[in-house]
Amino acid sequence: MKVTISKDGAGFRVYVPKKDLEERVIGTQHPELWGGWIDLANGWRLDLPPMAAAVRLPITIEARKHPDAD
């Protein structure tokens, strides 16, 4: 699914256009965010592709629901 990741003063946010959903990132597998899973405030867990740590935000990427997600 396509998601847009941005950063504000409180941390990272994810917007899912098809669901008209915007949620805070509350947990990450890696401190640099990319190449692992992230947990969203609504309970979703998404897998992100590997990318450079210094990528410019906001960015739209292809993410997948983690296999362990509800």
Side-chain angles (χ1 to χ4, degrees):
M1 78 178 76
K2 295 268 188 206
V3 301
T4 300
I5 298 178
S6 60
K7 189 170 186 179
D8 61 20
F12 293 103
R13 299 189 73 74
V14 173
Y15 176 67
V16 183
K18 285 198 169 204
K19 302 284 185 182
D20 194 27
L21 172 77
E22 185 171 8
E23 292 289 341
R24 286 183 306 110
V25 174
I26 60 170
T28 64
Q29 183 176 7
H30 304 293
E32 65 275 3
L33 189 71
W34 307 110
W37 52 258
I38 60 171
D39 287 333
L40 303 182
N42 69 348
W44 286 11
R45 180 171 276 188
L46 301 177
D47 288 325
L48 302 183
M51 298 182 81
V55 71
R56 291 184 66 169
L57 298 177
I59 188 170
T60 300
I61 60 164
E62 187 70 29
R64 293 192 170 143
K65 275 200 134 180
H66 192 75
D68 295 339
D70 293 336

